[in-house]
Amino acid sequence: MMLFQVSLSSALTCLLFIAGLLGCTVEALKVKAVNVPSHQVTGASVELECHYDLEGDDLYSVKWYRGQHEFFRYVPGDSPAVQIFDLPGVAVDTALSDERKVTLRTVSLQSSGKYKCEVSADAPSFHTESKSAEMLVVDLPDEVPTISGGRSKYHVGDEVHVNCTSARSRPAASLMWYINDQQADSRILVEYAPVNDSDGLETSRLGLRFVVGPRHFPSGELRLKCTATIAAVYWQSSEESVEGQLPQTGPALESKGVYTGGCSRSLPSKWIGALCLVGLRLLFPVFTHL
């Protein structure tokens, strides 16, 4: 009996080798793709898709795992065909799940992980294949990022020291500063470690510190903007515009049109005395009759 098994195995190996030499292909079950969203927001529903080709075989089972733990099984020969296994963070909607897709209700932070679809063919091949994909569930901030520490006006030579804060998300939001729509140089950023809240959410903060120069007032004002992003599912920004004042390059001479008495000095000096004398003679009779 043992010799027969060895001979059968050797014969099968030989046939496969010959088929390879002749360019022949052996049809077998193939899992082509697993569609799992790379990022999803807490509270949303998620559809997991498993695309496979039986290549002429009959389906024996489709199983879904998160990590090493099975949570869904479809066996067409069983009654019922669908079987669900409890797993924290994984709530299967059986009405919207079958051999090709699984729908998860109201995902949470616990739903994050690697999801694997495993498909097995029935006799005689019993061939099994699988593919996996990662999903990260994110908890978004409730508010846009906030800017603190700024002034209403800056002069050249003043120091700007402001902070941008994005509160309570998971993972922590990535922050970036912009000065007049130009991304701030990393050398003037002040990095802070995220702060962990008691419920597992995180608050991120990024500082900005630099000395104001004339170039910071291209249109008479300084605009500071902070953006907060989480993967490809969240983008928000906050912006502040503050008045700027450039230093004067020389004394500002301005005529206000106020008469201060005396005679004008804009005429040649030889005319000044004559005009003043004429004016006094004209006014003298007026004063004598008062």
PDB file of all heavy atoms in Angstrom, residues 70-89:
ATOM      1  N   GLU A  70     -11.112  33.651  12.961  1.00  0.00           N
ATOM      2  CA  GLU A  70     -12.187  33.534  11.985  1.00  0.00           C
ATOM      3  C   GLU A  70     -13.458  34.168  12.543  1.00  0.00           C
ATOM      4  O   GLU A  70     -13.802  33.970  13.714  1.00  0.00           O
ATOM      5  CB  GLU A  70     -12.451  32.063  11.669  1.00  0.00           C
ATOM      6  CG  GLU A  70     -13.515  31.840  10.608  1.00  0.00           C
ATOM      7  CD  GLU A  70     -13.806  30.361  10.368  1.00  0.00           C
ATOM      8  OE1 GLU A  70     -13.146  29.509  11.025  1.00  0.00           O
ATOM      9  OE2 GLU A  70     -14.689  30.060   9.546  1.00  0.00           O
ATOM     10  N   PHE A  71     -14.157  34.944  11.678  1.00  0.00           N
ATOM     11  CA  PHE A  71     -15.415  35.546  12.119  1.00  0.00           C
ATOM     12  C   PHE A  71     -16.580  35.273  11.166  1.00  0.00           C
ATOM     13  O   PHE A  71     -17.732  35.528  11.505  1.00  0.00           O
ATOM     14  CB  PHE A  71     -15.254  37.064  12.305  1.00  0.00           C
ATOM     15  CG  PHE A  71     -14.934  37.830  11.052  1.00  0.00           C
ATOM     16  CD1 PHE A  71     -15.940  38.295  10.212  1.00  0.00           C
ATOM     17  CD2 PHE A  71     -13.621  38.096  10.708  1.00  0.00           C
ATOM     18  CE1 PHE A  71     -15.650  39.006   9.058  1.00  0.00           C
ATOM     19  CE2 PHE A  71     -13.316  38.802   9.541  1.00  0.00           C
ATOM     20  CZ  PHE A  71     -14.337  39.251   8.718  1.00  0.00           C
ATOM     21  N   PHE A  72     -16.295  34.732   9.964  1.00  0.00           N
ATOM     22  CA  PHE A  72     -17.361  34.457   8.999  1.00  0.00           C
ATOM     23  C   PHE A  72     -17.010  33.202   8.214  1.00  0.00           C
ATOM     24  O   PHE A  72     -15.860  33.020   7.792  1.00  0.00           O
ATOM     25  CB  PHE A  72     -17.528  35.635   8.036  1.00  0.00           C
ATOM     26  CG  PHE A  72     -18.566  35.421   6.968  1.00  0.00           C
ATOM     27  CD1 PHE A  72     -19.897  35.744   7.190  1.00  0.00           C
ATOM     28  CD2 PHE A  72     -18.218  34.893   5.731  1.00  0.00           C
ATOM     29  CE1 PHE A  72     -20.858  35.540   6.206  1.00  0.00           C
ATOM     30  CE2 PHE A  72     -19.160  34.692   4.735  1.00  0.00           C
ATOM     31  CZ  PHE A  72     -20.495  35.016   4.979  1.00  0.00           C
ATOM     32  N   ARG A  73     -18.026  32.343   8.025  1.00  0.00           N
ATOM     33  CA  ARG A  73     -17.820  31.129   7.236  1.00  0.00           C
ATOM     34  C   ARG A  73     -19.053  30.881   6.369  1.00  0.00           C
ATOM     35  O   ARG A  73     -20.186  30.930   6.860  1.00  0.00           O
ATOM     36  CB  ARG A  73     -17.576  29.930   8.141  1.00  0.00           C
ATOM     37  CG  ARG A  73     -17.357  28.611   7.397  1.00  0.00           C
ATOM     38  CD  ARG A  73     -17.200  27.455   8.352  1.00  0.00           C
ATOM     39  NE  ARG A  73     -16.024  27.623   9.199  1.00  0.00           N
ATOM     40  CZ  ARG A  73     -15.692  26.760  10.176  1.00  0.00           C
ATOM     41  NH1 ARG A  73     -16.465  25.708  10.427  1.00  0.00           N
ATOM     42  NH2 ARG A  73     -14.613  26.989  10.902  1.00  0.00           N
ATOM     43  N   TYR A  74     -18.782  30.601   5.089  1.00  0.00           N
ATOM     44  CA  TYR A  74     -19.857  30.242   4.155  1.00  0.00           C
ATOM     45  C   TYR A  74     -19.547  28.873   3.583  1.00  0.00           C
ATOM     46  O   TYR A  74     -18.521  28.675   2.921  1.00  0.00           O
ATOM     47  CB  TYR A  74     -19.967  31.277   3.033  1.00  0.00           C
ATOM     48  CG  TYR A  74     -21.029  30.948   2.012  1.00  0.00           C
ATOM     49  CD1 TYR A  74     -22.341  31.371   2.193  1.00  0.00           C
ATOM     50  CD2 TYR A  74     -20.721  30.203   0.876  1.00  0.00           C
ATOM     51  CE1 TYR A  74     -23.330  31.052   1.268  1.00  0.00           C
ATOM     52  CE2 TYR A  74     -21.691  29.888  -0.060  1.00  0.00           C
ATOM     53  CZ  TYR A  74     -22.998  30.308   0.138  1.00  0.00           C
ATOM     54  OH  TYR A  74     -23.966  29.990  -0.778  1.00  0.00           O
ATOM     55  N   VAL A  75     -20.435  27.911   3.845  1.00  0.00           N
ATOM     56  CA  VAL A  75     -20.299  26.553   3.321  1.00  0.00           C
ATOM     57  C   VAL A  75     -21.620  26.198   2.636  1.00  0.00           C
ATOM     58  O   VAL A  75     -22.630  25.977   3.315  1.00  0.00           O
ATOM     59  CB  VAL A  75     -19.986  25.537   4.441  1.00  0.00           C
ATOM     60  CG1 VAL A  75     -19.810  24.129   3.849  1.00  0.00           C
ATOM     61  CG2 VAL A  75     -18.739  25.949   5.212  1.00  0.00           C
ATOM     62  N   PRO A  76     -21.651  26.183   1.294  1.00  0.00           N
ATOM     63  CA  PRO A  76     -22.919  25.964   0.596  1.00  0.00           C
ATOM     64  C   PRO A  76     -23.577  24.630   0.917  1.00  0.00           C
ATOM     65  O   PRO A  76     -24.798  24.487   0.824  1.00  0.00           O
ATOM     66  CB  PRO A  76     -22.531  26.055  -0.880  1.00  0.00           C
ATOM     67  CG  PRO A  76     -21.072  25.823  -0.925  1.00  0.00           C
ATOM     68  CD  PRO A  76     -20.533  26.366   0.353  1.00  0.00           C
ATOM     69  N   GLY A  77     -22.786  23.642   1.348  1.00  0.00           N
ATOM     70  CA  GLY A  77     -23.359  22.334   1.652  1.00  0.00           C
ATOM     71  C   GLY A  77     -23.954  22.233   3.031  1.00  0.00           C
ATOM     72  O   GLY A  77     -24.589  21.214   3.359  1.00  0.00           O
ATOM     73  N   ASP A  78     -23.752  23.259   3.872  1.00  0.00           N
ATOM     74  CA  ASP A  78     -24.304  23.241   5.235  1.00  0.00           C
ATOM     75  C   ASP A  78     -25.645  23.944   5.273  1.00  0.00           C
ATOM     76  O   ASP A  78     -25.993  24.712   4.376  1.00  0.00           O
ATOM     77  CB  ASP A  78     -23.341  23.915   6.214  1.00  0.00           C
ATOM     78  CG  ASP A  78     -22.086  23.098   6.457  1.00  0.00           C
ATOM     79  OD1 ASP A  78     -22.036  21.943   5.959  1.00  0.00           O
ATOM     80  OD2 ASP A  78     -21.161  23.618   7.112  1.00  0.00           O
ATOM     81  N   SER A  79     -26.379  23.720   6.355  1.00  0.00           N
ATOM     82  CA  SER A  79     -27.645  24.412   6.568  1.00  0.00           C
ATOM     83  C   SER A  79     -27.711  24.859   8.046  1.00  0.00           C
ATOM     84  O   SER A  79     -27.750  24.015   8.951  1.00  0.00           O
ATOM     85  CB  SER A  79     -28.826  23.481   6.260  1.00  0.00           C
ATOM     86  OG  SER A  79     -30.045  24.164   6.407  1.00  0.00           O
ATOM     87  N   PRO A  80     -27.660  26.158   8.309  1.00  0.00           N
ATOM     88  CA  PRO A  80     -27.571  27.237   7.303  1.00  0.00           C
ATOM     89  C   PRO A  80     -26.167  27.323   6.708  1.00  0.00           C
ATOM     90  O   PRO A  80     -25.196  26.854   7.301  1.00  0.00           O
ATOM     91  CB  PRO A  80     -27.915  28.479   8.107  1.00  0.00           C
ATOM     92  CG  PRO A  80     -27.457  28.163   9.486  1.00  0.00           C
ATOM     93  CD  PRO A  80     -27.714  26.689   9.683  1.00  0.00           C
ATOM     94  N   ALA A  81     -26.092  27.971   5.561  1.00  0.00           N
ATOM     95  CA  ALA A  81     -24.811  28.055   4.861  1.00  0.00           C
ATOM     96  C   ALA A  81     -23.855  29.030   5.541  1.00  0.00           C
ATOM     97  O   ALA A  81     -22.641  28.886   5.443  1.00  0.00           O
ATOM     98  CB  ALA A  81     -25.026  28.473   3.411  1.00  0.00           C
ATOM     99  N   VAL A  82     -24.402  30.043   6.237  1.00  0.00           N
ATOM    100  CA  VAL A  82     -23.583  31.090   6.870  1.00  0.00           C
ATOM    101  C   VAL A  82     -23.449  30.822   8.361  1.00  0.00           C
ATOM    102  O   VAL A  82     -24.433  30.521   9.041  1.00  0.00           O
ATOM    103  CB  VAL A  82     -24.200  32.480   6.635  1.00  0.00           C
ATOM    104  CG1 VAL A  82     -23.464  33.540   7.458  1.00  0.00           C
ATOM    105  CG2 VAL A  82     -24.167  32.840   5.153  1.00  0.00           C
ATOM    106  N   GLN A  83     -22.220  30.962   8.851  1.00  0.00           N
ATOM    107  CA  GLN A  83     -21.953  30.825  10.274  1.00  0.00           C
ATOM    108  C   GLN A  83     -21.104  32.017  10.733  1.00  0.00           C
ATOM    109  O   GLN A  83     -20.115  32.374  10.072  1.00  0.00           O
ATOM    110  CB  GLN A  83     -21.230  29.508  10.566  1.00  0.00           C
ATOM    111  CG  GLN A  83     -21.113  29.182  12.047  1.00  0.00           C
ATOM    112  CD  GLN A  83     -20.521  27.793  12.281  1.00  0.00           C
ATOM    113  OE1 GLN A  83     -20.211  27.076  11.323  1.00  0.00           O
ATOM    114  NE2 GLN A  83     -20.354  27.419  13.545  1.00  0.00           N
ATOM    115  N   ILE A  84     -21.494  32.635  11.854  1.00  0.00           N
ATOM    116  CA  ILE A  84     -20.810  33.820  12.377  1.00  0.00           C
ATOM    117  C   ILE A  84     -20.128  33.462  13.698  1.00  0.00           C
ATOM    118  O   ILE A  84     -20.706  32.764  14.536  1.00  0.00           O
ATOM    119  CB  ILE A  84     -21.803  34.985  12.600  1.00  0.00           C
ATOM    120  CG1 ILE A  84     -22.608  35.273  11.325  1.00  0.00           C
ATOM    121  CG2 ILE A  84     -21.058  36.243  13.060  1.00  0.00           C
ATOM    122  CD1 ILE A  84     -21.783  35.695  10.142  1.00  0.00           C
ATOM    123  N   PHE A  85     -18.912  33.989  13.880  1.00  0.00           N
ATOM    124  CA  PHE A  85     -18.165  33.789  15.121  1.00  0.00           C
ATOM    125  C   PHE A  85     -17.917  35.151  15.763  1.00  0.00           C
ATOM    126  O   PHE A  85     -17.490  36.090  15.084  1.00  0.00           O
ATOM    127  CB  PHE A  85     -16.838  33.081  14.846  1.00  0.00           C
ATOM    128  CG  PHE A  85     -16.993  31.762  14.138  1.00  0.00           C
ATOM    129  CD1 PHE A  85     -16.893  31.688  12.748  1.00  0.00           C
ATOM    130  CD2 PHE A  85     -17.250  30.602  14.840  1.00  0.00           C
ATOM    131  CE1 PHE A  85     -17.033  30.490  12.084  1.00  0.00           C
ATOM    132  CE2 PHE A  85     -17.402  29.391  14.192  1.00  0.00           C
ATOM    133  CZ  PHE A  85     -17.295  29.329  12.813  1.00  0.00           C
ATOM    134  N   ASP A  86     -18.174  35.240  17.066  1.00  0.00           N
ATOM    135  CA  ASP A  86     -18.027  36.509  17.790  1.00  0.00           C
ATOM    136  C   ASP A  86     -16.572  36.960  17.803  1.00  0.00           C
ATOM    137  O   ASP A  86     -15.660  36.160  18.082  1.00  0.00           O
ATOM    138  CB  ASP A  86     -18.527  36.369  19.228  1.00  0.00           C
ATOM    139  CG  ASP A  86     -20.038  36.213  19.306  1.00  0.00           C
ATOM    140  OD1 ASP A  86     -20.717  36.664  18.363  1.00  0.00           O
ATOM    141  OD2 ASP A  86     -20.533  35.632  20.294  1.00  0.00           O
ATOM    142  N   LEU A  87     -16.386  38.230  17.498  1.00  0.00           N
ATOM    143  CA  LEU A  87     -15.057  38.828  17.525  1.00  0.00           C
ATOM    144  C   LEU A  87     -15.218  40.308  17.849  1.00  0.00           C
ATOM    145  O   LEU A  87     -15.989  41.003  17.174  1.00  0.00           O
ATOM    146  CB  LEU A  87     -14.362  38.645  16.176  1.00  0.00           C
ATOM    147  CG  LEU A  87     -12.893  39.067  16.068  1.00  0.00           C
ATOM    148  CD1 LEU A  87     -12.024  38.242  17.012  1.00  0.00           C
ATOM    149  CD2 LEU A  87     -12.388  38.923  14.639  1.00  0.00           C
ATOM    150  N   PRO A  88     -14.544  40.826  18.898  1.00  0.00           N
ATOM    151  CA  PRO A  88     -14.696  42.242  19.267  1.00  0.00           C
ATOM    152  C   PRO A  88     -14.371  43.168  18.094  1.00  0.00           C
ATOM    153  O   PRO A  88     -13.365  42.994  17.401  1.00  0.00           O
ATOM    154  CB  PRO A  88     -13.679  42.412  20.403  1.00  0.00           C
ATOM    155  CG  PRO A  88     -13.516  41.045  20.973  1.00  0.00           C
ATOM    156  CD  PRO A  88     -13.647  40.108  19.818  1.00  0.00           C
ATOM    157  N   GLY A  89     -15.269  44.139  17.856  1.00  0.00           N
ATOM    158  CA  GLY A  89     -15.059  45.107  16.788  1.00  0.00           C
ATOM    159  C   GLY A  89     -15.543  44.646  15.430  1.00  0.00           C
ATOM    160  O   GLY A  89     -15.431  45.387  14.465  1.00  0.00           O
TER     161      GLY A  89
END
